[in-house]
């Protein structure tokens, strides 16, 4: 590796580390002070960088949400858990993996989901971005349910099963049970898995 290449690699690594630090600072402040109550200047102070650095790296505060979502996907290991769920041949086990996936997402990323929803309520441009996120989520849910179509309970259509999966995977249910009612994350995961099995598929004992 030439010295120029080494310097470029070092600069790239430094730039990525700076972006990660800015995203972490934005996440901390927005979770505490809200979307509207967090300024770029405050984020810069928290991250130990100049405001111009944030504008150069992200362009605006709205773009920080994409950085948070990227960190959320990385930290929650959602793609890996999704692959494990999709590879599971037994429907009930597949839904249990789904419950684990949602539990993992909420434990690592509940604050990001809340920040994004809050921002969407106050900024029309963010609302458009958020709508795309929700539409993508809906497609993912529908695809997951489609793979279960042969195991769905009598009278439960793919559309209805997708709606139920969406409902029970909502972050507000996690907040109410774990943060408000004091459930452990393990209890939440067990409940979610059992509920999805009961609501979506034909239980072996019934069959």
């Amino acid at each position: 590796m030439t010295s120029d290449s080494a310097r470029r690699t070092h600069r790239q690594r430094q730039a990525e580390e700076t972006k990660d630090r800015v995203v972490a600072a934005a996440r901390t402040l927005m979770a505490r002070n809200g979307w509207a109550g967090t300024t770029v200047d405050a984020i810069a102070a928290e991250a130990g960088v100049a405001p111009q650095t944030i504008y150069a790296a992200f362009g605006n505060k709205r773009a920080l949400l994409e950085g948070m979502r990227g960190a959320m996907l990385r930290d929650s290991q959602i793609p890996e858990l999704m692959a494990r769920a999709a590879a599971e041949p037994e429907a009930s086990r597949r839904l249990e993996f789904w419950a684990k996936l949602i539990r993992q997402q909420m434990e690592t990323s509940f604050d990001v989901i809340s920040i994004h929803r809050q921002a969407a309520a106050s900024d029309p441009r963010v609302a458009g971005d958020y709508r795309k996120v929700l539409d993508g989520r809906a497609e993912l849910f529908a695809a997951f349910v489609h793979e279960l179509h042969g195991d769905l309970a009598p009278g439960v259509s793919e559309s209805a099963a997708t709606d139920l999966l969406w409902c029970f995977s909502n972050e507000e249910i996690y907040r109410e049970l774990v943060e408000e009612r004091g459930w452990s994350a393990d209890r939440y995961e067990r409940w979610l898995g059992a509920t999805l099995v009961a609501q979506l598929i034909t239980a072996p004992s019934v069959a």
Side-chain angles (χ1 to χ4, degrees):
M1 179 181 292
T2 66
S3 59
D4 286 346
S5 297
R7 280 195 295 271
R8 280 197 299 272
T9 301
H10 179 64
R11 285 197 297 270
Q12 290 169 351
R13 186 164 57 247
Q14 283 184 317
E16 289 303 316
E17 289 173 353
T18 298
K19 290 178 74 172
D20 285 346
R21 195 162 69 249
V22 168
V23 166
R27 185 172 176 174
T28 297
L29 292 178
M30 289 180 188
R32 185 171 68 214
N33 303 325
W35 164 261
T38 302
T39 65
V40 170
D41 285 351
I43 295 168
E46 179 77 12
V49 301
Q52 292 80 3
T53 300
I54 296 179
Y55 288 117
F58 293 95
N60 52 43
K61 192 170 76 167
R62 173 186 164 205
L64 286 169
L65 290 170
E66 286 302 311
M68 287 185 208
R69 289 188 63 249
M72 176 183 80
L73 289 173
R74 179 190 64 205
D75 296 342
S76 63
Q77 298 179 318
I78 293 300
E80 293 87 343
L81 288 172
M82 181 64 72
R84 289 180 64 188
E88 176 58 53
E90 185 181 343
S92 60
R93 287 288 294 149
R94 189 174 297 186
L95 289 171
E96 288 167 3
F97 268 117
W98 181 272
K100 183 182 292 293
L101 180 157
I102 296 298
R103 178 245 180 108
Q104 183 87 342
Q105 183 180 40
M106 296 306 165
E107 282 189 309
T108 60
S109 314
F110 177 81
D111 58 331
V112 175
I113 298 169
S114 298
I115 290 166
H116 210 159
R117 176 177 285 188
Q118 183 186 111
S122 61
D123 187 324
R125 294 171 301 173
V126 176
D129 296 338
Y130 189 53
R131 183 69 261 166
K132 292 177 182 176
V133 170
L134 293 179
D135 289 345
R137 182 177 170 89
E139 291 176 3
L140 186 152
F141 279 41
F144 182 84
V145 167
H146 181 68
E147 294 300 316
L148 293 170
H149 71 277
D151 295 291
L152 293 178
V156 178
S157 66
E158 286 191 34
S159 176
T162 302
D163 291 343
L164 289 170
L165 189 67
W166 179 283
C167 174
F168 287 116
S169 302
N170 189 282
E171 70 271 13
E172 283 303 309
I173 292 180
Y174 173 85
R175 186 187 69 80
E176 290 287 347
L177 293 177
V178 176
E179 298 193 8
E180 294 294 335
R181 302 307 303 165
W183 282 28
S184 69
D186 285 342
R187 183 182 179 188
Y188 165 80
E189 181 185 331
R190 289 194 301 270
W191 168 82
L192 180 57
T195 300
L196 292 176
V197 169
Q199 291 289 323
L200 270 61
I201 67 173
T202 303
S205 58
V206 174

